[in-house]
């Protein structure tokens, strides 16, 4: 049953993304409203899928790679709604929904089980995973705001009012949003990884244990740490920070791919 609810949610997200993009290109508010309605419906179905999954397994549904990605998507949609309300950016879904689908379409039907090792399925493991998932959700939105910044800046520099110009907010607003999502996401990611390293030291007798997912996660952390440090110390703002946010998202995708395609402690 959870698989059906998840597939319905994913379908709603796909149609909502298409409607949101259509509203951005065509400057049609009716499509934007339709996209928001579909996204809300998809999120409700997604919530049901996660709850049903937990009830069926009698545990927190975050201990497989597919479950973790599902929860990242669920949290990211919730954060995306809040950002649209808080900043009044009605076109934000046209950017964060495709980013979310880049994660969701990689999940097989029914949330394939890429299970963690039994000794890793502890209370600390749940906290470790939950912290990382909240951080990743914020960083997905960090990518969406960075992409908006790059597109808007190019239109302004070219002195050409393209299809996106009227649908995107000012560069200062987008830069602030990029910083805000990074500032929220990075501490959660850091705390989650620290707990994971401590847990690995006890369970695996090694900090990284040759695990591809752990190694890629460290690279991802370094990219985001450099971005945040550059903003704080080197005053990296605007385009440079936006490009680093996009690079970080690419590493995030590579990290998830490493968990799926390479053998390691986290899955397969």
């Amino acid at each position: 049953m959870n698989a059906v609810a998840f597939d319905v949610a994913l379908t709603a997200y796909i149609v909502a993304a298409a409607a949101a993009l259509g509203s951005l290109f065509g400057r049609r508010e009716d499509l934007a409203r339709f996209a928001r309605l579909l996204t809300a419906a998809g999120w409700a179905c997604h919530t049901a899928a996660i709850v049903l999954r937990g009830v069926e397994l009698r545990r927190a549904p975050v201990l497989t790679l597919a479950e973790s990605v599902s929860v990242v998507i669920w949290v990211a949609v919730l954060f995306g709604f809040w950002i649209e309300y808080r900043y009044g950016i009605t076109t934000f879904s046209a950017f964060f929904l495709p980013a979310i689908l880049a994660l969701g379409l990689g999940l097989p039907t029914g949330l394939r089980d890429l299970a963690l090792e039994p000794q890793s399925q502890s209370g600390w493991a749940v906290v470790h995973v939950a912290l990382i998932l909240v951080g990743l959700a914020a960083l997905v939105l960090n990518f969406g705001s960075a992409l908006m910044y790059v597109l808007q800046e190019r239109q302004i520099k070219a002195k050409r009012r393209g299809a996106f110009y009227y649908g995107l907010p000012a560069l200062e607003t987008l830069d602030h949003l990029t910083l805000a999502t990074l500032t929220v996401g990075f501490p959660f990611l850091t705390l989650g990884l620290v707990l994971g390293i401590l847990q690995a030291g006890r369970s695996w007798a090694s900090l990284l244990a040759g695990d591809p997912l752990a190694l890629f996660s460290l690279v991802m952390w370094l990219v985001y740490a450099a971005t945040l440090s550059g903003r704080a110390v080197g005053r990296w703002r605007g385009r440079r920070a936006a490009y680093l946010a996009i690079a970080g998202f690419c590493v995030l995708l590579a990290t998830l791919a490493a968990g799926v395609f390479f053998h390691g402690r986290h899955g397969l």
Side-chain angles (χ1 to χ4, degrees):
M1 190 64 182
N2 71 82
V4 175
F6 178 78
D7 288 342
V8 171
L10 191 57
T11 301
Y13 291 153
I14 293 171
V15 178
L21 288 169
S23 72
L24 183 62
F25 282 103
R27 297 169 61 186
R28 292 181 54 183
E29 183 58 30
D30 57 335
L31 282 178
R33 287 194 297 269
F34 179 63
R36 288 193 291 271
L37 181 62
L38 267 182
T39 305
W43 189 82
C45 290
H46 198 167
T47 303
I50 292 173
V51 171
L52 288 171
R53 177 80 171 177
V55 171
E56 289 174 6
L57 299 178
R58 297 183 180 180
R59 63 165 174 79
V62 296
L63 292 180
T64 73
L65 186 59
E67 288 170 354
S68 297
V69 173
S70 174
V71 174
V72 168
I73 294 171
W74 182 81
V75 177
V77 172
L78 181 61
F79 282 177
F81 270 129
W82 182 84
I83 287 174
E84 285 193 334
Y85 173 78
R86 171 67 176 79
Y87 290 89
I89 307 174
T90 58
T91 56
F92 190 47
S93 58
F95 292 87
F96 81 80
L97 281 177
I100 285 172
L101 290 175
L103 303 177
L105 291 178
L107 290 179
T109 299
L111 304 180
R112 177 171 55 133
D113 289 330
L114 301 177
L116 301 178
E117 290 190 338
Q119 63 264 35
S120 297
Q121 298 181 13
S122 65
W124 282 107
V126 172
V127 175
H128 151 66
V129 173
L131 288 170
I132 289 180
L133 296 187
V134 174
L136 292 182
L139 294 175
V140 170
L141 301 180
N142 176 253
F143 166 76
S145 58
L147 184 59
M148 294 172 76
Y149 185 97
V150 170
L151 291 173
Q152 185 72 311
E153 187 197 42
R154 287 186 176 182
Q155 290 184 123
I156 292 174
K157 282 194 171 183
K159 297 181 180 180
R160 182 178 65 252
R161 296 180 178 180
F164 300 116
Y165 181 81
Y166 294 100
L168 301 182
L171 291 179
E172 184 177 354
T173 300
L174 292 173
D175 187 55
H176 175 73
L177 179 56
T178 303
L179 175 60
T181 50
L182 177 61
T183 304
V184 170
F186 185 75
F188 280 97
L189 180 66
T190 301
L191 288 175
L193 290 178
V194 168
L195 281 180
I197 290 173
L198 294 176
Q199 180 72 16
R202 291 193 296 267
S203 301
W204 302 342
S206 173
L207 291 181
L208 296 176
D211 184 68
L213 186 59
L215 292 171
F216 273 85
S217 296
L218 179 59
V219 173
M220 177 178 63
W221 183 88
L222 289 173
V223 172
Y224 284 116
T227 306
L228 192 57
S229 299
R231 277 185 171 272
V233 179
R235 299 187 182 277
W236 292 356
R237 298 183 60 189
R239 179 174 52 183
R240 180 179 294 181
Y243 279 129
L244 284 171
I246 293 171
F249 182 73
C250 292
V251 179
L252 191 160
L253 292 178
T255 301
L256 295 176
V260 172
F261 295 112
F262 298 107
H263 292 276
R265 298 284 190 174
H266 282 87
L268 286 182

